[in-house]
Structures are given as C-alpha cells and as structure tokens.
Amino acid sequence: MLRSARRLTPLLLLGTTLGGPLCAVATAQVAPAPPTLNPAPAVAAAPVATTTVKSIVIRGTERLEPETVRSYIELNPGDGYDRERLDKALKALYASELFADVTIRDDNGSLIVEVKENPVINRILIEGAKRVKEDKIREEIRVAPRQIFTRSKASADVARILELYRRSGRFAASVEPKIVQLDQNRVDLVFEIHEGNKSKVRQINILGNHKFKDGELRGAMATRQARPWRFFSSSDTYDPDRLAYDQQKLRQFYLTHGYADFRVVSSVAELTPDRKDFIVTYVVEEGDRYKFGKVDLDSQIRDIKSKDFKPLIRINPGDWYDAQKIETTVDTLSETAGLLGYAFAEVRPQFDRDKEKREMNVIFAINEAPRVYVEKININGNTITKDHVIRREFRLAEGDAFNSFKVKRTRDRIQGLGFFQEKFDVEQKPGSAPDKVVLEANVQEKPTGELQVSAGFSSLERFILSLSIKQRNFRGLGQELRASANISSYSKSIEAGFTEPYLFGRNLALGFDVFRRDYRSFRYTGSGDSRDTTYQQTTTGGQVRTGFPITEYWSGSVRYGLSQDKISLDSSYNNPVTGQCDPLLAGRYLCDSVGNRTTSSVGYSIIYNSVNNRIRPSAGQQLTISQDLAGVGGGVQYLRTRGTYDWYYALFGSGFVLNLGGEAGYIYGYGKDSSIAGQDKIRINDRFFLGQPQLRGFNIRGVGPRVLRAALDGTTGLPLTDRNQFTDDAIGGRIYYRGRAEIQIPLGSAGSELGLRPSIFTDVGAVFGVKTPILTCQNPVAPLPQNPKCVANDGSTGSTGFVETFLGNTARPRVSVGAGVSWNSPFGPFRFDLAKALLKSPGDDTKLFQFNVGTQF
C-alpha cells in the first residue's frame, strides 16, 4: 500500500541524496487517508442541527489556487451544512486526486480546510528490466513527468506492466512502485521490477479423445511441452492467448478430419506445486464423423454462371468432411469473382447436417454484388520512398475495373522491392459508392542501406577482410548504388556499380559496373590442406547493361562488357635456363594460358520471375537463360550459354520453404587458335569449375577435369599412392550442370532474432567436356627415373620424378547430402555446411565440413 508522504519523514532524515540508494529514501508507497470523517479532533463532531457557514479558510495550497479547492467542496458563506455535507465535501476533494491529505475543521461555522497537495512527478525510472526492453515498458506507462502523482495512476501502470510481462510468459514477475521525495513537493517515481523466470508449459493433458492419440493432437497445437532441446523456441512458454488459439487449432484439426460436432468442453491451466510452470488440461468431445453429401453452387451474380463455375469446387460427395476444403473453395470462388471485377462478392457456404446418414450437404451461395472499379489508390507510411516509386508497381490504375489477381501481383511487386515490412498487403476498402473500391498501401519502411565491415576466416579463401556499402533505395527513387572492396589470402578486388530501374520515367533499367580483380589460383600439394600458387590473374574492366519488361513476368536485358586479363605464373614454374614457363614444372595446360588478352563481349538474358519476395522468396519461380558472345573486338572468342531455374514452395504453412533449383552451362570456343593439338579452345580462366560452395560435400574446384601429379618414391621408383601427397590441378570444363533440393527450416521468433536459418539439402552436379591435355609424363614404359620426360629440374642440385594422370572428365553425376545453417551475425554473414558425398568419380576431392564468411544468404 502507498503510505502518506509525511510518514516517510524519518527516512528523509537519513540524508540520502537524489543519486543515492532508493531503498534508503522510500521503501513504502503513498496512500491517502480514508475518505471519511473520523471522530478525531481533526473534524469536530457534527452538530445535531444545521449550521450556517460563516467563513471558509483554505490552507496548504502551493501550486493550486484556493478557489480550486472551493470549487470541489461546493460550500459558500451563508450556506447551511451538516456532518453529511462535510463528509461529501471531503470525498470530493479526495476524488479529485489532487491531494495527498485533507482535513476539514469546524469552529462554530468557520471552516478551515487544510490540504497537502499530491507531489509533481519529476522523472520516471525503471529498474530491473532486462528481459523486456525498457522502451516497451514505457509504452505501457501512462503517467508522465510534470504530471501530478496519484496512487491510482501508479497502480494502473503497475497492472499494465505486469500484463506486458505475462504476455511474454513471465507470470512470476512483480512490480513495486516507489517514490523518492525531492524539494518543492516533487518526486521521482521508480518502478522496481523483479522479472522472474519464464513460465513454461510443463505438460499438456487431453481428456475425452478416442480417435486420435495425445501426441497427434499436441502436434496440431501451437504450444509445445517444455523440453531441453527447445531453447531456440518460445512455443513452450505459457501464454493464455496462445492457449485460446490452441483450442481453435484443435477444432480445426478435428474439422479437417470429418468431426463436424467436435467441441472443447473446457481448458484449465494450473500452476505446478513449485509455482514455476503450468500444466494445461483440455477436455474434448469428439462427436461423430461426417462425409460430404450433396455439394452445389448457387450464384446470384449475372456473370458467374453456376454450371460454368461448379468445376471450381473440388469436393466430391462421399469424401470425408473437411473444413479446410470448404475454406479453400470459398477463397477460390471469391478470387474468381474478384478476377471478374466483383471485389466485394460474398461467398457463403450453407450447411445442412443429416445426423442419421452422417452427411453434410453444402451449397456455396454467391450473393449479388455490383461490379467494382478502383476509385482511389492511397499510399501511407512512406517517409523516404517517393510515392511514384510505389505507384509504378501497381498493376491497377484509378478508374480500372477491380481485379484480385492484379492486386495480389501488386502486393508481390511492392514487397519484392525489399524496401518495406515483410508482411505487407494491399487493403481493399469500400469507396464512395457500392461499385467503388479504395486500394490502400500502408507501408512501413525498413533500412535499405547496408554497411558491412567484416574480417574472418573461411575454408575456401583463408583470411578475409571485406568492406562494402550499398544503398538499394538511393534518394528514395529505388536506385541502387554500391561499392565494395575485398581482400583475402588468394584474392583482392574493388568494384562499384549503379542501377537506375526506371530511366526517364520509363520501365527501362540502365546500369553500369567497373571492377579490378586480382586472383591467385592455387592447387593442393602434399598432405593436409597445403597449397601453392599456380597462376595469377589480374582483370580490369567494366560493363554497361540495360533491362526491360516483356510481359508481367518475363523481362529481358542486354549488356556489353570490356575487360583485360593478365595471366602470369609464379617464377618457380619457369625454366631456369630459358626463363619461360616449363611444362615439366607447371604442366602444359597452364603454360598455354599465360599472356595478356582482351575480352570484348555482348550478351543478353531472358528472365522469368514470379517469386513473392526478391530477398527471401517462399513461393514462385525464377528462370534465367543467358548468352554472351566474346570476340566483338579483342582476342578472346567464345559463345557462353547458361540457364538457371529455381522453384520455391511453402511447406506445411509454418515457415518451411522447399527450394528446387538447377543450372547448366556450355561454352563454345571458336577462332584461329582452336585447332592446336592438346590445347583446348577455351582458356582455363574462362572455363566452368564446380565444388565448394556450389556443390557442397566437395572441396573448392573438387569436381571435374583435373591433372594429378604423383611424385616418385625414392626407394621403389614407383608413384606415391597417398592422395594427400599429390599435386592437384583442376583445369575446369566447357560443360556443367548442377541441381539441388533444399528445405529451409524455421526456428521460431527466437531463431529469427538471432539471424539463424538452418536447412537440409541434396546437391548433384558435374563439369566436363574439356579437351584431353597432352601430359608431360603419362604411363611411360621405361622405369620412371630413367625416363627424361618424367623428371622436372627446378634448377636445384637434384631432380624430381613424377607421373601425371588426367581424371574427372565425365558427365557422371556427383551427389551429396547434408545440413547447414546461415547465421546473419553482428560480425557479418556466416555459412556452415556439413555434407557427405554419396556419389563421386575418380579424382574428385571431397570435404565433409566447410564454412564461409561473407557469402550470399
């Protein structure tokens, strides 16, 4: 209870300052005296007869005017009064909540009213809030600084704070309001919070179920029983609102299995004896199971003929009754009516239950409604994004006939921009007339700028340092501006780019990129993960591109790119006499690639895109077919063709997303250098490579054509057989294909807040089609040490014998399965994968575990 401030006086004598311990200043709360007159001396005994007021004196006011007090007591000199009227005046003063204490003294008609004003709140402090953010708690507090403090307001705020904690599952939370007395009748109001632990649902009991087991019914609920492995989920937290939702889930489960009479008789949540968790008990009544009887359609809309639209009803008489089929049919009929312009067409299923036959007869009635036109399009909530950036994504204009399909497409396009909240929808509101509709887009903008500075280590590139800045909604015009710099143990790059999605207000995108990339290719040598550099490639260039729509889902793009490549080998691969690349040391396939070349290419892409979200799709398809022709000037000549496809589907309606994807490519070389014996038409740096991270379960470039160089045993003269001691040169291929099936697994709100997205996957792929290189030493007849073709002299006193083998040039599929998790950490994005290769070919290099930093999620 709140006690009077005057009772805190002994605590104030302790001399605690404002910044000192609050417990020493005030350990109790202020409560006014009971709003009735006591026979104490403060109020004289009421006279038997009515007395006339001679005068009224007001004492104790500080901020308030005496007239304010007079207005509440409703007594004036000359008025008659008795004890009941004085009691009423006292109650009125307390009811005003302006005073902490009130005394009325009667001196033979001279009334003296002494008041002590309630203090003014100086500031509001919150202590002990850790699990619930302070900002959310302050949203529940109605009192504010410079307001008058009252017990009732503080108590109401305590109740709201407790309700906030209960909604988060902390039923053991307690809130104690305290005040710190200041000068000038001011106080600091302190809410001391003891949060306690979250209350879990320890057990869920179901009584009355005979057709389904308890576990099956619990699986249909949103609430889960508390278990140690659910530390990432909040579904086992006790929440009364969720329990009410679970009753609906139970009913939905039974209704989809034919039990039309099912009902939940009662639900009770009881605290466990240790008062930490809850035990929830449901009592259910299953009833009889029904089948569908007669199913018909009755349409009152002229353009919707019952006989024409009845095939949309996918319900057959004799099927088990399923409420989900009813809802699906209603949605289908409503969407179909919307396609014809009837935005507010009402579809009502009418049921006729035959209890004797246990059949449910259903008639879908489409009530008469006018054809609707778009009256107005309103856009609210955009403070950065310009209105026209959003309006140009609308597939309907003001005055158009309403079309539900176009409204959905508008929603997907606006959401696909990536500028606004995840759960966005275009609301449909009645217009000024029955045949008018107002479309309203209420957006909530989210940050579109990205600044990332990260350092880390990956199994692919070892040390990594990355800096990137990107703005996807530059100046609120939907333009994209980006720049990045990356450095790792094997590569350095700097890139910049700009894209204007609507050039001169037309649906035509224009963009450009410039880049400089330095790359050191490596190969695995010796045991473990040892590597050495094979060739260095420096690429400088740029690209101009444009994109344009063909239809609603199809679009096209064309581009022109110009780049210069400089490829050189490490000096250790040069012949010590000639200073040129030595095939005995580097391999002939590497020596053939050395030099400077200019690539001038033109290309195009045809794209089909119906995904519902550009960043994290959960439904739709994406198909890209592209070709690039190099040889429009420059010395490099090839035609590269690629195709990619992705299909997304939401599973189970609870956050699981299935992704089926595939891609393939072919590069064809032409020109005067294409017929040299042993040399492929395509340079090694233009070929396709496959492995980590595209084909998980295999090492970087671990799949496809390669040359393995095995050193000779110094004793036997035979090649070593340990793969870890080979020199491994992946030389790529001209043809590749890759496919994957992946299921993204939701972790609930807790996992989403941590940025975790686990998945399970299967990968398949291969790369092949390169011309068989001329090996330096291949299956010699003479003993290896005596065969000069098999001895590489690096200029030192000794020579090294070896034998080369060409492997992996096959279209046979490689298959792997595994699980991984993407973590959008505060230090940058991480990707962890654990994959096992099930099918492989000789020469392939497998790897069980791999992780990367800064890869695309």
Side-chain angles (χ1 to χ4, degrees), residues 588-593 597 636-638 666-688 705 731-735 768-774 806 809:
R588 191 177 306 279
Y589 42 87
L590 285 179
C591 292
D592 293 339
S593 300
R597 293 176 177 83
V636 179
Q637 297 175 319
Y638 63 75
Y666 173 70
I667 184 168
Y668 169 76
Y670 65 94
K672 60 183 179 180
D673 296 328
S674 63
S675 59
I676 298 177
Q679 180 178 333
D680 196 271
K681 302 175 184 179
I682 304 298
R683 296 180 305 160
I684 189 171
N685 58 302
D686 290 327
R687 298 173 193 164
F688 299 117
I731 62 175
R734 290 184 296 149
I735 306 171
F768 56 97
V770 71
K771 180 182 288 187
T772 302
I774 297 177
F806 178 59
N809 193 24

Side-chain angles (χ1 to χ4, degrees), residues 28 63 109 130 161 169 178 184 272 290-291 346 384 389 426 435 469 523 538 583 601 681 694 744 760 762 785 840:
R63 298 180 306 276
K130 297 179 181 178
I161 295 172
K178 295 182 178 181
Q184 298 179 355
T272 55
Y290 285 77
K291 291 185 176 182
E346 186 179 20
I384 299 175
V389 174
V426 178
D435 63 343
I469 184 170
R523 61 185 178 187
T538 300
S601 65
K681 302 175 184 179
Q694 302 96 338
Q744 299 174 15
I760 56 176
T762 297
K840 57 183 180 178

Side-chain angles (χ1 to χ4, degrees), residues 491-547:
S491 66
K492 292 183 293 184
S493 68
I494 182 169
E495 300 183 24
F498 175 79
T499 302
E500 165 57 66
Y502 276 74
L503 185 64
F504 306 126
R506 298 179 178 274
N507 198 354
L508 177 68
L510 180 67
F512 67 87
D513 305 283
V514 292
F515 54 85
R516 167 66 182 260
R517 305 185 185 110
D518 295 336
Y519 175 67
R520 288 194 301 133
S521 181
F522 58 85
R523 61 185 178 187
Y524 293 98
T525 61
S527 60
D529 199 28
S530 300
R531 316 178 188 186
D532 65 5
T533 301
T534 53
Y535 67 88
Q536 295 89 31
Q537 177 181 350
T538 300
T539 304
T540 305
Q543 184 184 75
V544 179
R545 48 193 162 71
T546 182

